[in-house]
Amino acid sequence: MAQPEPNSSKDETAHKAITEGLATILVPETKEHRSKSGSTGKDQSVFYNPIQQFNRDLSVLAIKAFGKEAIALKRQKLEKRKEERDARNIEILQRKRKVRDKDGHWREVLEQQQQQEAEEGPDKKRKRGDGDPQTRGVVEQQERQEQQAENGADATEDTVIHEIGPSQEVPSEPTAAATDPKTDQTQTHPAPHFRILDALSATGLRAIRYAKEIPWVTSIMANDLSAEATKSIRANVAHNELEKKIEVTHGNAIAHMYTVAFGHRKYDVIDLDPYGTAAPFFDAALQALNDGGLLCATCTDPAVWASGGYAEKCYALYGGVPMRGPHCHEAGLRIILHAIATSAARYGMSIEPLLSLSIDYYARVFVRVRRSPAEVKLLAGKTMVVYNCDQGCGAWTTQPLLKNKEVEGKKGDTYIKHTLAQAPSCAEFCPHCGFKTHVCRPTLFCAYFLAPWLTPTQQLAGPMYAGPIHSPPFIQSILSSLSKINTQTYPTVPRIKGMLTTALEEDLSPTTPTESHTHTHQVDPTPFFFPPAQLAKVVHCIMPTEAAIRGALRHLGYRVSRSHTKPGSIKTDAPWHVIWRVMREWVRQKAPIKEGKLKEGMAGWRILYGGGGVGDGGGEKKSDEAEREGQKVDEEEGGADAKPVEGEKEEEEKEVVFDVKLGADTTKSNKDMVRYQINPQPNWGPMNRARAKAGGGLQRTKEAE
């Protein structure tokens, strides 16, 4: 964690110096207050939360990984445009000189000029088109316009940072030759600009760390609505001697981003870290990003997007209904991504989630935004609602809004066809426990035939994002950089390594961890996890170990991993009827149920006895028909539970073996990895909101710093 240093010499009674990463900031001393209830607490005039150091360390590493790729792409574009300009200029020179000399003498003159320039070297090279004043003016104007468009610079601005020439050096920035090992020549064009917006900056710590720890950052804008926070940011920027790289503004972040959206100086990275939800900032932030830019967003309101207590507020903020159950945080991440994706789609932009994490009491997502109307058409097929049997057995079924199907054209090429999806994707009754799968009040049938003391309803959640929420190559890029990092500067590295490794293992798609998802229309085949404790609770048996369940599923030929959101979780591509078959075998082989534990009509009774499992119960005809109907719909939709009847018979013939060795983490690195951190101190949470008065408007003044 960040270690406080002795009080600042400028104001020993009012501030204390805190060092985090390579930055040192001056934080105003907290003041104690007594609430109406009599309890005491501490107020901050400018918000600073040391618990969020994990968030900031991870953000620095993520932006580094993103920036490395972004800078390389910018240099490629600059090189390509330079080659195109050279070819265009040669064509102009040839065309003009051809008019003057019809005997072809212009070609010889041009070759002599190129040879002379090569001998003189890049420092003495003449301007392209110097031979003709009219040509020279056109070429120079084209170069200025293209360079400004590439770097996002305003054509009316004439500042030092936007007019760096070929012979000028950029402090704290790597040169083109230093950052590109494939070239041995010094680049003569300006280094690509990389601009970051810390929209809700509070103390300015995040902006200062980005400026000091990310070498290719050219400029950072630190904004806050609070006058007290803005004063603190300026003091901290001056304390770290970064006045030339960080610009401080006092105003509404939404208004600032909308102003930038209609200008030329857009941002490559925008970081949103408010107190509560970041949803009000999504629209403006997406428009203020460059094409291919990175949006980093934190939402500290899990009571809204990860519980059923404020479903109406979740829909108002994010456009989706939350999911109840142990996998609510995974669903919450998808609801947040859905809000970003739908907001971007209105402007012809698509998103690529690079990293989406549920951490402590908040969600943190890193999303790449591209301008691609073609990919926007895929969004409906990558959006789903979920039928969740939260009051029955806990099984879930996904329902896509549209279907994106790859078909072959007449000429042999492939294209994506968008078709309407059939609904519902599940039957009227849950095929596993017989509970109602509609969002409805208990009917007379439910109350009479199932159990009068139960309310057998199934929850509908969503719409939410159905595509992959992580990019394995991006995570691998961050993990590969951890070995070179000083753990004293980044003390949260062990936790970062454990959480990112777990997130990387969540990907159960056929692609390898280092292989990218080239098919942008595909959905995540394993959107949620299940905990063995929940399954044991349904059937009222002793809980199987994670290794036993993983070993049994792997023995049957399925892929298994875990989720970063919850310890004791299991993600698998096995359908639910296979999971419940494994549980029936667990009860039969390892953990017999005591007589009287289950009553007829309970979800566990239907799973164990009604489906022809351990006992001799035949089950109800209504539920059996529903199960066949659900299987038919799944086969037509190609959902996670889709399985041909012959395939199910082959699976039934396979023996379920609870191979603990097959399901255990055998390597020492996996055993010692910090996958799920225990809170290191009491009151590990978001802390109180800063009590400084804002300079105007209703914008929040806390940035989860």
Side-chain angles (χ1 to χ4, degrees), residues 4-20:
E5 294 182 354
N7 291 345
S8 169
S9 59
K10 294 183 179 180
D11 191 351
E12 296 183 357
T13 60
H15 295 80
K16 63 179 179 181
I18 294 179
T19 298
E20 182 180 297

Side-chain angles (χ1 to χ4, degrees), residues 282-434:
F282 288 160
D283 190 272
L286 290 165
Q287 296 185 69
L289 276 172
N290 282 323
D291 186 13
L294 178 68
L295 175 63
C296 314
T298 302
C299 295
T300 60
D301 55 337
V304 175
W305 45 261
S307 73
Y310 302 94
E312 72 289 346
K313 188 172 183 180
C314 182
Y315 184 81
L317 292 175
Y318 302 102
V321 178
M323 197 172 182
R324 290 188 298 187
H327 38 263
C328 60
H329 288 83
E330 267 192 327
L333 290 173
R334 295 184 177 278
I335 289 175
I336 295 171
L337 293 174
H338 167 73
I340 299 174
T342 52
S343 183
R346 298 185 184 97
Y347 307 101
M349 294 182 285
S350 65
I351 70 166
E352 179 192 0
L354 300 179
L355 183 62
S356 308
L357 299 175
S358 175
I359 310 165
D360 296 333
Y361 54 88
Y362 60 92
R364 181 69 168 169
V365 296
F366 300 88
V367 179
R368 195 201 314 268
V369 181
R370 294 189 179 94
R371 284 171 176 79
S372 176
E375 291 186 5
V376 170
K377 297 179 181 179
L378 305 174
L379 179 59
K382 296 169 68 174
T383 304
M384 65 181 180
V385 293
V386 183
Y387 293 97
N388 181 31
C389 189
D390 61 329
Q391 300 213 18
C393 63
W396 42 263
T397 306
T398 60
Q399 168 69 65
L401 299 188
L402 283 183
K403 290 181 64 178
N404 298 325
K405 188 176 181 181
E406 189 174 3
V407 297
E408 185 175 351
K410 295 181 180 179
K411 297 182 180 180
D413 56 340
T414 59
Y415 66 95
I416 305 299
K417 184 177 181 181
H418 313 285
T419 60
L420 299 175
Q422 294 182 348
S425 57
C426 62
E428 183 181 1
F429 296 90
C430 176
H432 312 291
C433 65

